[in-house]
Amino acid sequence: QERRRTEETLRATQSEMIHAGKMAALGQMSAGITHELNQPLTAIRSFADNAQILLDRDRLDDVRENLRQIGTLTDRMATITGDLKTFARKSPDTVGSADPTTTIKGALSLFTRIARARGLQIHDDLGDDLPPVIGEEVRLEQVFLNLFRNALDAMEAQSAAVPRRLWVTAETTPETVSVSVRDSGPGLSPENLHKAFDPFYTTKTAGKGLGLGLSISERIVNDFGGTLSAANHPGGGAVFTVGLRRAEADRRPMAASA
Ligand code: ADP
């Protein structure tokens, strides 16, 4: 009886802790969303107030500019709520297969234009013969673009004298394809390593980062049965590894049972 009572107390304590944890996460998330949405909202309000004064003074070009700014700010708010939808969405029941080479090269070609202008050297060691993986190309491209942008941001925070380099490599096992994105930036601090995947965790200045990139990327990769991990490279810089499941490996047992 004594043991049963202890077990009951333990179970009650555990469920209280889970509840407290959920409430804390909800609080943190609400604070983040409120903060991010309030900034553009306040700005829209002042642009609108200003536009009325400008209209009274017949300064139509300035009114037009204010309206343009309001448009940009609503786009920004739409991006925030759009990103949040990724969290609300249920994982898809079935996912097709994607060609990792096409996907990553697609992301790289979108990124190269931005990168070249900022003096970044890209070392693409992917090869052309990576096997298909479980996933969806557009969403995977979003993951890689986010990793490339983060790498560039980290390197730009350093002195311009430090060479900016990005390496993209892949490793294949019978079950998985792991793609690593390494940069020559400052690497990840212990706090970054601990918190980088938390929603709304960012070390970037307001307006530059929302802190949602990695948590959304992790969510996407998890939807495909894969993993996303972060580490410091022994040679310096951060390395993010996207581990994806091979599509053929997944289909093999199904074919055998058919
Ligand atoms: P955001 O880019 O909006 O800050 P992320 O979730 O993509 O949000 O990243 C969270 C944080 O992780 C960044 O603010 C940064 O501190 C850290 N981080 C991500 N990628 C790197 C990297 N390649 N090198 C160093 N720090 C990084």
Side-chain angles (χ1 to χ4, degrees), residues 4-18:
R4 220 171 276 142
R5 252 202 308 275
T6 315
E7 276 175 5
E8 262 165 34
T9 315
L10 184 66
R11 255 196 301 274
T13 315
Q14 265 173 344
S15 82
E16 269 167 31
M17 279 175 71
I18 291 170

Side-chain angles (χ1 to χ4, degrees), residues 47-48 51 61-73:
F47 277 122
D61 281 345
D62 292 330
V63 173
R64 198 168 290 119
E65 174 56 19
N66 274 22
L67 291 174
R68 196 191 60 77
Q69 296 273 17
I70 290 174
T72 310
L73 288 162

Side-chain angles (χ1 to χ4, degrees), residues 34-189:
T34 312
H35 175 72
E36 289 303 331
L37 291 181
N38 262 343
Q39 275 177 323
L41 212 52
T42 314
I44 287 172
R45 176 74 216 214
S46 76
F47 277 122
D49 287 347
N50 229 330
Q52 291 190 28
I53 300 167
L54 293 167
L55 255 187
D56 291 343
R57 294 183 189 162
D58 260 348
R59 287 169 55 184
L60 293 186
D61 281 345
D62 292 330
V63 173
R64 198 168 290 119
E65 174 56 19
N66 274 22
L67 291 174
R68 196 191 60 77
Q69 296 273 17
I70 290 174
T72 310
L73 288 162
T74 50
D75 281 349
R76 185 169 144 72
M77 294 176 78
T79 310
I80 298 171
T81 51
D83 282 350
L84 289 168
K85 269 195 226 142
T86 312
F87 288 100
R89 197 175 43 215
K90 205 172 138 276
S91 312
D93 294 331
T94 51
V95 187
S97 70
D99 173 16
T101 316
T102 317
T103 309
I104 302 163
K105 294 217 189 272
L108 272 176
S109 79
L110 285 174
F111 179 67
T112 305
R113 246 171 293 149
I114 317 168
R116 255 203 223 118
R118 306 202 193 159
L120 177 74
Q121 289 173 45
I122 299 174
H123 305 268
D124 167 6
D125 288 328
L126 281 177
D128 291 318
D129 51 358
L130 294 177
V133 293
I134 297 177
E136 200 193 290
E137 285 176 7
V138 176
R139 294 178 75 205
L140 277 178
E141 206 174 86
Q142 196 187 335
V143 170
F144 287 104
L145 259 179
N146 182 53
L147 295 180
F148 299 156
R149 287 224 182 90
N150 272 351
L152 184 61
D153 286 343
M155 292 184 277
E156 283 198 324
Q158 285 181 307
S159 132
V162 181
R164 293 170 183 173
R165 300 174 75 185
L166 184 87
W167 293 266
V168 189
T169 50
E171 215 175 283
T172 306
T173 72
E175 303 293 324
T176 60
V177 175
S178 295
V179 183
S180 295
V181 177
R182 178 194 162 196
D183 60 57
S184 62
L188 298 152
S189 66

